[in-house]
């Protein structure tokens, strides 16, 4: 049987990991990326066991371990006095329970590991896809630079503003969620005086929360301030942010939070976008993956992890149905949609839960967290972290 050719539109974390899975399974894969360089914006990235399991299967375990930090735990805290609401020990317990580590990364470090693993001749930079059409026996795609390609399968891994999604389902802007993120990185020695622990800390306050954890093998501290805001008026979705606005927004928070903001040189401000779950991802020989089909709020730490799962399952489906691409893509959609939708829904619900105003509801939340029985408990999160997306269920 001839080797199937797969065109991946977009070289973000989702597109790259899908391409690596497909390549290892013997498909002829090419990535088309609009940027002139393979770089990744942003700061920190949490990689839970369901994602690290797949990256390790790709043979990237050693590189990842060198760049990662294993956080000592997840520390949920009250915004003004730092009181512990819940503490789950991640580093050892996660690995023992789910058989794969829980890491945090600098996004750039992780993206580079994926880029280095991909043969460079299979990455086509400065290729902004402008059109794609299923011709029955193959797919054709066109690019702003005037080139055109043919492939047996086309994957739209082109992010939250996906052109491919628009071509398949009609143009529509993703929704501004009413939440913005201020993100930044600080050399760790600059915050040494604050006495921070090595856990991933989440400070919950009214209408906002603040997250920080060490990245880049402990050399840098990543922070994200997530706060509610009525509208997004900047033209770009990713703007330099004002440190004084950030400091003002967290003025009443604990001294550690204020100290982190005070130590930062710069911050970038991101609009947080999402969409309602789509009715379909797969159309004949074309399908979608990652933020192109299931953007989600970052309040479950699963956006990139779910994109990584997509690529693994998609590869397994194409391996099973090499002679029937539409059947493979239908199977992929049926396996992935319920799980990604569940993550989208929980992420959205966490916005309310993290940002409760001080009062009876917040007190009830804190009391429940103290019992260790929330859906952050090891038992409750098992469905998410123990999953191996590279293995098709027997019924499939
Ligand atoms: C504040 C914040 C914190 C987050 N934290 C986490 C976390 O801790 N853990 C986690 O798992 N997730 C996290 N996420 C989510 C995660 O970043 C995304 O879900 C993930 O990056 C999606 O990957 P992707 O490859 O689908 O899309 P993207 O990373 O957006 O990549 C899309 C790629 O496609 C390219 N492209 C776009 N259009 C075209 C075109 N027409 N032609 C060719 N190329 C094109 C783009 O240049 C880009 O390289 C966070 C998100 C935010 C905003």
């Amino acid at each position: 049987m001839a080797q199937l050719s797969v065109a991946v539109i977009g070289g973000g974390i989702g597109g790259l990991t899908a391409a690596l899975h497909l390549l290892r399974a013997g498909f002829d894969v090419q990535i088309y990326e609009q940027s002139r360089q393979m770089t990744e914006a942003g700061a920190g990235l949490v990689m839970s066991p369901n994602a690290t399991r797949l990256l390790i299967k790709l043979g990237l375990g050693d590189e990842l371990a060198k760049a990662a930090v294993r956080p000592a735990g997840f520390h949920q805290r009250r915004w003004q006095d730092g009181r512990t609401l819940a503490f789950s020990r991640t580093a050892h317990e996660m690995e023992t329970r789910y058989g794969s580590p829980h890491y945090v990364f600098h996004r750039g470090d992780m993206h580079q590991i994926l880029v280095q693993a991909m043969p460079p001749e299979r990455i086509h930079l400065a290729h902004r896809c402008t059109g794609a059409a299923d011709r029955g026996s193959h797919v054709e795609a066109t690019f702003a630079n005037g080139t055109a390609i043919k492939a047996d399968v086309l994957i739209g891994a082109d992010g939250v503003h996906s052109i491919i999604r628009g071509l398949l389902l009609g143009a529509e802007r993703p929704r501004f969620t009413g939440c913005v993120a201020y993100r930044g990185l600080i050399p760790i020695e600059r915050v040494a005086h604050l006495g921070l622990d090595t856990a991933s800390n989440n400070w919950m306050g009214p209408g906002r929360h603040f997250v920080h954890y060490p990245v880049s093998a402990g050399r840098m501290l990543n922070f994200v301030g997530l706060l509610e805001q009525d509208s997004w008026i900047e033209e770009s979705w990713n703007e330099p942010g004002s440190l004084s606005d950030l400091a003002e927004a967290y003025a009443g928070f604990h001294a550690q939070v204020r100290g982190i903001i005070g130590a930062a040189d710069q911050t970038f401000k991101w609009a947080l976008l999402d969409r309602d779950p789509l009715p379909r991802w797969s159309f004949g020989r074309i399908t979608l993956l990652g933020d192109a089909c299931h953007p989600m709020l970052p309040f479950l730490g699963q956006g990139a992890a779910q994109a990584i799962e997509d690529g693994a399952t998609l590869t397994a489906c194409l391996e099973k149905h090499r002679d029937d691409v539409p059947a493979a893509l239908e199977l992929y959609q049926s396996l992935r949609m319920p799980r990604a939708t569940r993550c989208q829904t929980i992420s959205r619900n966490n916005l309310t839960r993290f940002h409760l105003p001080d009062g009876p509801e917040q007190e009830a939340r804190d009391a429940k967290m103290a019992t260790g029985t929330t859906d952050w408990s090891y038992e409750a999160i098992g469905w998410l972290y123990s999953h191996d997306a590279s293995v098709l269920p027997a019924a499939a």
Side-chain angles (χ1 to χ4, degrees):
M1 196 182 300
Q3 194 185 27
L4 276 185
S5 58
V6 186
V8 178
I9 308 299
I13 289 170
L16 274 164
T17 48
L20 288 168
H21 276 106
L22 289 160
L23 197 62
R24 303 279 195 273
F27 295 96
D28 172 16
V29 195
Q30 309 290 333
I31 297 179
Y32 300 92
E33 165 57 43
Q34 65 180 1
S35 310
R36 297 190 172 277
Q37 285 179 334
M38 290 295 270
T39 53
E40 174 74 11
L45 192 64
V46 177
M47 277 287 118
S48 47
N50 51 316
T52 58
R53 173 176 299 118
L54 301 171
L55 297 170
I56 289 168
K57 278 191 174 183
L58 284 173
L60 304 175
D62 290 346
E63 270 77 17
L64 292 169
K66 275 185 233 155
V69 171
R70 284 177 152 91
F74 278 128
H75 197 175
Q76 315 284 350
R77 308 175 76 169
R78 276 283 284 164
W79 61 286
Q80 77 288 56
D81 58 13
R83 185 158 34 95
T84 297
L85 301 175
F87 189 93
S88 22
R89 283 162 41 80
T90 47
H92 300 294
E93 291 188 18
M94 287 274 187
E95 206 157 337
T96 315
R97 231 170 233 268
Y98 304 118
S100 199
H102 197 108
Y103 285 150
V104 291
F105 289 102
H106 184 309
R107 292 171 73 93
D109 294 343
M110 191 178 133
H111 191 251
Q112 273 313 302
I113 290 170
L114 300 174
V115 172
Q116 298 299 327
M118 194 70 199
E121 67 277 11
R122 290 184 180 274
I123 302 179
H124 306 273
L125 298 174
H127 275 66
R128 181 165 65 81
C129 185
T130 49
D134 185 342
R135 303 291 183 211
S137 60
H138 65 278
V139 185
E140 290 172 6
T142 50
F143 298 88
N145 62 12
T147 54
I149 55 128
K150 287 182 183 175
D152 295 312
V153 188
L154 184 134
I155 302 172
D158 49 344
V160 69
H161 301 290
S162 173
I163 272 277
I164 306 298
R165 194 211 72 88
L167 292 170
L168 298 174
L169 287 144
E172 177 218 327
R173 284 165 71 85
R175 183 180 45 226
F176 173 56
T177 57
C179 206
V180 295
Y182 284 82
R183 317 178 73 181
L185 290 163
I186 306 170
I188 206 82
E189 60 275 9
R190 224 190 275 169
V191 287
H193 62 288
L194 295 175
L196 304 176
D197 64 29
T198 55
S200 175
N201 280 263
N202 178 14
W203 304 76
M204 291 185 228
R208 64 209 62 202
H209 70 289
F210 192 89
V211 175
H212 61 85
Y213 48 80
V215 295
S216 294
R219 294 188 300 278
M220 310 287 283
L221 184 81
N222 168 67
F223 71 85
V224 195
L226 301 114
L227 56 125
E228 290 169 29
Q229 175 177 304
D230 290 342
S231 60
W232 181 260
I233 44 169
E234 284 83 353
E235 280 188 15
S236 148
W237 299 103
N238 184 11
E239 295 271 322
S242 149
L243 279 169
S244 57
D245 286 356
L246 181 61
E248 194 179 322
Y250 289 89
F253 271 59
H254 186 272
Q256 284 187 343
V257 172
R258 288 185 280 116
I260 292 169
I261 296 171
D265 281 335
Q266 61 172 356
T267 177
F268 289 90
K269 194 175 167 189
W270 293 47
L272 297 188
L273 310 175
D274 76 352
R275 281 181 201 288
D276 287 331
L278 297 177
R280 286 173 72 182
W281 298 356
S282 296
F283 295 75
R285 292 176 173 271
I286 305 180
T287 195
L288 300 168
L289 171 156
D291 277 9
C293 51
H294 51 68
M296 57 187 82
L297 283 164
F299 303 160
L300 188 64
Q302 282 295 311
Q306 290 302 305
I308 291 169
E309 286 194 5
D310 288 343
T313 301
L314 179 55
T315 302
C317 293
L318 281 167
E319 280 186 287
K320 184 177 166 76
H321 291 294
R322 277 179 201 264
D323 52 349
D324 188 348
V325 169
L329 302 191
E330 281 293 321
L331 177 60
Y332 157 70
Q333 170 184 293
S334 71
L335 292 173
R336 293 296 308 152
M337 268 177 83
R339 200 169 149 82
T341 302
R342 188 170 176 187
C343 291
Q344 280 178 297
T345 309
I346 298 175
S347 303
R348 203 179 281 178
N349 292 344
N350 276 347
L351 169 62
T352 317
R353 183 161 59 166
F354 286 2
H355 291 186
L356 286 175
D358 287 352
E361 274 191 277
Q362 161 263 322
E363 284 165 16
R365 175 200 69 193
D366 294 355
K368 186 149 192 230
M369 286 175 74
T371 66
T373 57
T374 68
D375 51 14
W376 286 305
S377 70
Y378 290 124
E379 285 69 27
I381 208 80
W383 70 272
L384 185 58
Y385 290 172
S386 61
H387 186 63
D388 185 342
S390 66
V391 179
L392 296 184

